[in-house]
Structures are given as C-alpha cells and as structure tokens.
C-alpha cells in the first residue's frame, strides 16, 4: 500500500500541474510552458504596479495631495468649507447675472447728437446705464427718468462725447473711466463722481448741484476740469487737476494714488486721499480737523497731548500708512486662513503685499517673504500649484534661504510632479531645519516618487 501511494497521488494530481511538470522536465507542449511564464510575469508586474500605486497614494495622502477623500478631520473641515464657498460663489454668480441683466448697454455709436434716452425704448426698462465705446455722440438723461429710479450711470471708453445728466440716481454715483474729451453737465445733485484713467474730462456742475457734501474722486487722470456755477452771476468756481503731477510717485505707479476734489472753506480744493484706521477714505485736512476736535475734548477732561491716553487717541486718528495697512491685512488674512477661507485669506495677503510694495520695500524684506509664503500656502490649499510656485519663487528672490518659502516651493513642485526640482528645494529647507519632521517626510516622499519615475 505504501509503495502505491506515490502513484495514487500522481493519479489524483490536476492535469495542468502534470502538464507543467512535463514542460519543466523538457517534455510536453513547450508553448504552453512559455504561456505559463508569461502569466507569472504579468502577475508579478501587476503586483509591482499595485505596490507603486499604493506608495503613491500613501505619499499623496501624507502630503495632502490626494483629492478623493479627507485624510484628517482638518481636511474634512477644509472640504466642507470649500463646498460652502462654492455654494456662496454660485449664489454670487446668480446675483451678478441678475445685475448684468439689469444693465443696458448703449455702445459703439458714432456722431449721434442730442439723443434723449427714454426708459422703455432706449433703456429697455433697465435701470443701470452703460454708455460705452461711443465717439462724438451726445446723450441726454432727462428728468422724466426720475420716476423709474435709475440706479447708476457708467461712462466708459467714450471719446468726444457730451452727457447731460438731469435725472436722479438711487446711488447718486456717476462713474467715468478711460474717456477722452468728455463733457458732462451735472444738472441734478450727484454726491459722488469717479473719474479714472481719463484725459480732458470736463465736469460742469450747474447751479446748486455741487454742495459741501459732493466728492469728485479721480486717479490716473490728466487735465480734469471741474467747474461749478456757484451763483447766477459771475464766473464759475473752477479747478483743473492732473493726477500724475499731483502724485509723488513716478511713472504708472502715480495712477494708483487717488485724489478728491471738494469744497473746503468755500473754495474748490484737491487733496490726496488717505485711509483711516477703518480703511475709509479721508484726507489730511479731515484728520487734522478730527484731531483738533479731540484735543479740545481732552483738554475739557484735563488731559494734555502728552498724556498716554491722549497720545493713543490722537494716534488712532492718524492716516493708515502702508506698513500699518499691510499689518492689518496680514492679520485679517491669518484669521481667514485659520477659518479655512483660503480664497479670502489670499485676497488679504495680496492687499498687504500691494501696500508694502508702495512703501520702502527694501526695509520690509522679511515681511514681504512672510506674505509671499502665506499666499503660497493659500494657493496650495486651493490646488493652484503654479501660483504657489510663483509666489514661493518671488519670495526666494528676496531671501534665498527662507525655509518656509523653500518648503512651499518644494510642495508646489511635488504637486506638479516635478520631483527632480522638488528634492533640491526640500533638501535645502531640511538643511536649515534638520529636526523639522514635516519637511523630512515631504523630502522622503519626493525622493521616492523621483526614484519610481526613473525606474519607469
């Protein structure tokens, strides 16, 4: 019985095993033998690819680059926040579409004089009027439009045109931009007029339309002429402003400064627009007037200007300098980042950067680097990897060994699958902070992905 056992076992062996054994001993069908090894090889390759894919997923998971599922409670909160922002954006776009639908565009006209705009026929019963890209035309907005509650009037890219504004606007705001040789006759009190990036614009305010509360804001404009018939007899009050001459900045940077023309002590005057601590527009005259009123109140309380409380109150009235504005925007950006509102945080960091770049940027190198790093972090969170890389490189151009910027650059390059560039950036960051485990892990994953890429 024992001698027969091997034969019995062989008799019960599966046919494919017997065939494989015969092929291995050099007998049987050799093509089947090679097909079997092809199968074994394919399975081995598939297993290697599966392992590589698992490594990739683990690396992306650890670096926060996988988008399929949240990898932590914080990431889940981020995703919920982004979903809420997408919904808010959707609602905003809906409102924007509604606002666009409320606009009527009168554009592309040439040499059309004395056109009186009627609500139904010309304005299509819409309440926001856009006069755009017109040449040598004349338009009249009659007082009959008052009953239709016109919201606002925009005049853009018009050349050699005249506009007679008889009607009331809900916002009491007229906006002018990119115009040349434009003459606007304001026949109804309009509290705010904006003139930007224009040339040879004449704002003619008729009698009783330019009160002490009216403000004409202008930036980047040349030969802006403002006249007001302050009385029925005698010449009008008049002022001409050239923003580029008024600005202390050079070149196109001068267009960034804003000025305001208004009545001061019974005469038209033009002042540089500053920002107060609440970031509202003001002027040096307004600040001085408020501080003088405050000094009187402090004296009534028996406090002198040198008293600590008085000093703090008076300083709070000072204009918002670029440095103070940058710090304020940075703080608001940090708060938004903690709240996972990365788009809003990025906007605050951008405003802070712009403010610092208007100041003595050479003395603000570290602050600029911090802002570039923070904005790059926002871009990484939002998946804008090219923008993150751009910000990181802008900061490194100022300070080549800034650790956080090197780390952001490495993370952006890793996300862009440029592993051969990510590794040097992360290595340099790790050299500066050898105990930083986050940088070390990022470098290890980048090196692993680089090796996998080279092997492939």
């Amino acid at each position: 019985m024992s001698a027969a056992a091997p034969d019995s076992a062989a008799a019960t062996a599966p046919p494919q095993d017997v065939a494989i054994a015969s092929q291995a001993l050099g007998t049987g069908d050799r093509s089947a033998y090679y097909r079997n090894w092809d199968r074994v090889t394919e399975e081995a390759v598939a297993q290697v690819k599966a392992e590589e894919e698992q490594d990739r997923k683990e690396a992306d998971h650890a670096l926060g680059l996988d988008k399929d599922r949240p990898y932590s409670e914080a990431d889940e909160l981020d995703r919920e926040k982004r979903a809420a922002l997408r919904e808010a954006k959707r609602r905003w776009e809906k409102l924007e579409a509604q606002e666009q639908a409320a606009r009527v565009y009168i554009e592309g006209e040439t040499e059309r004089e004395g056109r009186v705009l009627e609500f139904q026929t010309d304005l299509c019963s819409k309440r926001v009027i856009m006069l755009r890209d017109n040449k040598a035309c004349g338009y009249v907005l009659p007082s009959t439009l008052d009953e239709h509650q016109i919201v606002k009037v925009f005049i853009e890219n018009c050349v050699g045109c005249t506009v007679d504004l008889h009607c009331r606007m809900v916002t009491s705001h007229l906006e002018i931009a990119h115009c040349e040789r434009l003459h606007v006759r304001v026949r109804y009190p309009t509290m705010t007029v904006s003139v930007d990036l224009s040339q040879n614009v004449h704002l003619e305010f008729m009698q009783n339309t330019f009160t002490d509360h009216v403000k004409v804001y202008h930036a980047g404009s040349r030969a802006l002429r403002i006249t007001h018939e302050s009385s029925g007899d005698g010449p009008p009050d008049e002022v001409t402003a050239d923003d580029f001459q008024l600005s202390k900045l050079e070149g196109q940077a001068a267009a960034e400064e804003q000025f305001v023309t208004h009545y001061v002590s019974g005469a038209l005057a033009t002042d540089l627009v500053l920002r107060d601590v609440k970031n509202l527009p003001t002027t040096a005259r307004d600040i001085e007037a408020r501080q003088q009123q405050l000094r009187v109140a402090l004296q009534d309380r028996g406090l002198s200007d040198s008293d600590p409380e008085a000093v703090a109150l008076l300083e709070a009235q000072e204009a918002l300098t670029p440095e103070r504005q940058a710090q304020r925007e940075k703080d608001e950006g940090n708060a938004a980042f903690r709240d996972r509102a990365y788009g809003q945080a990025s906007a605050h960091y951008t405003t802070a950067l712009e403010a610092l770049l208007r100041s003595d940027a050479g003395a603000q190198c570290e602050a600029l680097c911090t802002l570039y790093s923070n904005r790059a972090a926002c871009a990484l969170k939002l998946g804008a990897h090219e923008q993150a890389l751009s910000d990181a490189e802008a900061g490194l151009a100022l300070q080549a060994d800034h650790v956080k910027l090197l780390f952001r650059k490495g993370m952006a390059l890793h996300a862009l699958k440029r592993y051969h560039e990510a590794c040097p950036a992360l290595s340099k960051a790790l050299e500066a902070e050898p105990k930083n485990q986050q940088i070390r892990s990022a470098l290890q994953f980048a090196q692993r992905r680089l090796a996998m890429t080279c092997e492939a």
Side-chain angles (χ1 to χ4, degrees):
M1 293 291 295
S2 60
D7 293 336
S8 176
T12 58
Q16 64 269 26
D17 288 349
V18 175
I20 292 172
S22 300
Q23 295 154 10
L25 293 173
T27 62
D29 185 359
R30 298 293 293 176
S31 62
Y33 174 74
Y34 290 122
R35 284 196 301 272
N36 177 69
W37 277 109
D38 287 343
R39 178 179 58 80
V40 172
T41 302
E42 289 172 358
E43 290 176 352
V45 170
Q47 183 178 357
V48 171
K49 288 184 176 180
E51 292 174 353
E52 290 178 350
E53 179 63 16
Q54 183 62 28
D55 286 342
R56 183 192 66 78
K57 289 182 178 180
E58 290 177 0
D60 287 349
H61 178 75
L63 294 173
L65 301 176
D66 55 335
K67 304 299 181 184
D68 298 331
R69 59 186 175 84
Y71 56 89
S72 66
E73 182 179 353
D75 182 55
E76 186 171 4
L77 291 173
D78 284 348
R79 290 166 185 254
E80 292 174 356
K81 188 72 175 183
R82 288 196 292 271
L85 287 173
R86 284 194 295 270
E87 176 59 22
K89 181 182 178 183
R90 186 191 66 77
R91 292 196 298 269
W92 173 262
E93 289 174 344
K94 182 178 179 180
L95 291 173
E96 183 71 14
Q98 292 173 348
E99 182 179 335
Q100 287 292 333
R103 294 185 177 188
V104 58
Y105 291 86
I106 299 174
E107 57 187 342
E109 296 186 341
T110 302
E111 297 182 353
R112 186 167 182 178
E113 290 290 341
R115 182 181 179 187
V116 180
L117 301 180
E118 300 295 340
F119 186 66
Q120 293 183 343
T121 56
D122 298 293
L123 304 184
C124 303
S125 300
K126 297 183 178 181
R127 294 175 171 81
V128 179
I129 303 172
M130 303 285 297
L131 300 176
R132 188 170 68 178
D133 299 326
N134 302 310
K135 295 182 180 180
C137 292
Y139 300 100
V140 178
L141 281 68
S143 58
T144 54
L145 293 175
D146 287 353
E147 62 180 295
H148 301 293
Q149 296 186 319
I150 298 302
V151 176
K152 194 172 181 180
V153 175
F154 295 84
I155 307 175
E156 299 178 357
N157 294 305
C158 288
V159 179
C161 295
T162 61
V163 178
D164 280 85
L165 187 61
H166 295 261
C167 67
R168 179 180 66 249
M169 291 179 286
V170 174
T171 60
S172 195
H173 189 179
L174 169 65
E175 241 182 75
I176 299 169
H178 301 281
C179 290
E180 294 182 26
R181 304 191 309 280
L182 174 70
H183 186 182
V184 179
R185 299 184 186 93
V186 182
R187 302 181 183 273
Y188 190 94
T190 302
M191 293 299 102
T192 306
V193 180
S194 302
V195 183
D196 296 325
L197 302 169
S198 297
Q199 186 170 340
N200 291 307
V201 171
H202 180 193
L203 295 176
E204 183 181 3
F205 288 84
M206 311 312 288
Q207 193 171 359
N208 301 322
T209 59
F210 203 134
T211 67
D212 291 342
H213 301 291
V214 171
K215 307 284 186 183
V216 178
Y217 292 97
H218 42 98
S221 294
R222 294 186 182 277
L224 171 61
R225 184 184 175 204
I226 302 171
T227 59
H228 174 222
E229 293 183 7
S230 55
S231 62
D233 52 355
D237 295 340
E238 181 172 346
V239 65
T240 301
D242 187 315
D243 296 336
F244 290 91
Q245 291 180 359
L246 292 169
S247 176
K248 295 180 180 179
L249 302 178
E250 297 181 357
Q252 288 302 312
E256 298 178 7
E257 284 197 316
Q258 189 180 42
F259 297 87
V260 59
T261 297
H262 53 158
Y263 268 104
V264 177
S265 301
L268 287 174
T270 299
D271 292 315
L272 175 67
V273 174
L274 305 173
R275 295 283 167 175
D276 63 16
V277 291
K278 295 181 180 180
N279 205 29
L280 297 174
T282 187
T283 67
R285 297 176 197 265
D286 295 335
I287 292 172
E288 179 58 33
R290 288 197 298 268
Q291 287 182 328
Q292 186 57 38
Q293 292 175 352
L294 182 58
R295 287 189 182 95
V296 173
L298 290 170
Q299 288 173 1
D300 291 343
R301 292 175 52 193
L303 297 176
S304 67
D305 289 1
S306 59
D307 185 276
E309 181 183 353
V311 170
L313 290 171
L314 289 168
E315 286 182 350
Q317 299 298 321
E318 292 288 349
L320 194 63
T321 64
E323 292 79 8
R324 289 176 64 190
Q325 183 184 9
Q327 184 60 50
R328 176 176 178 164
E329 292 291 339
K330 177 190 171 186
D331 292 341
E332 293 185 8
N334 291 345
F337 192 93
R338 287 192 297 271
D339 196 36
R340 297 179 173 82
Y342 303 119
Q344 187 65 30
S346 180
H348 283 300
Y349 294 140
T350 297
T351 303
L353 278 166
E354 292 172 348
L356 271 189
L357 291 172
R358 290 198 303 269
S359 66
D360 185 5
Q364 305 289 340
C365 178
E366 182 60 34
L368 286 170
C369 287
T370 298
L371 290 170
Y372 278 122
S373 176
N374 290 357
R375 194 168 70 172
C378 293
L380 286 170
K381 288 288 188 180
L382 295 169
H385 303 128
E386 290 285 1
Q387 181 60 50
L389 178 59
S390 176
D391 278 340
E393 290 181 334
L396 289 170
L398 300 173
Q399 186 176 337
D401 58 351
H402 194 283
V403 176
K404 285 189 176 180
L405 285 168
L406 287 168
F407 178 65
R408 308 276 190 245
K409 178 179 180 179
M411 293 293 289
L413 289 167
H414 187 286
L416 293 168
K417 299 182 180 181
R418 292 161 59 177
Y419 311 117
H420 62 291
E421 297 173 74
C423 290
L426 293 170
S427 294
K428 190 172 181 179
L430 189 61
E431 288 175 7
E433 292 188 7
K435 294 183 180 180
N436 190 315
Q437 190 56 45
Q438 187 180 22
I439 298 175
R440 184 179 299 277
S441 296
L443 176 59
Q444 290 173 348
F445 284 123
Q447 290 172 334
R448 184 186 304 178
R449 295 302 301 276
L450 178 62
M452 292 165 58
T453 304
C454 293
E455 290 174 359

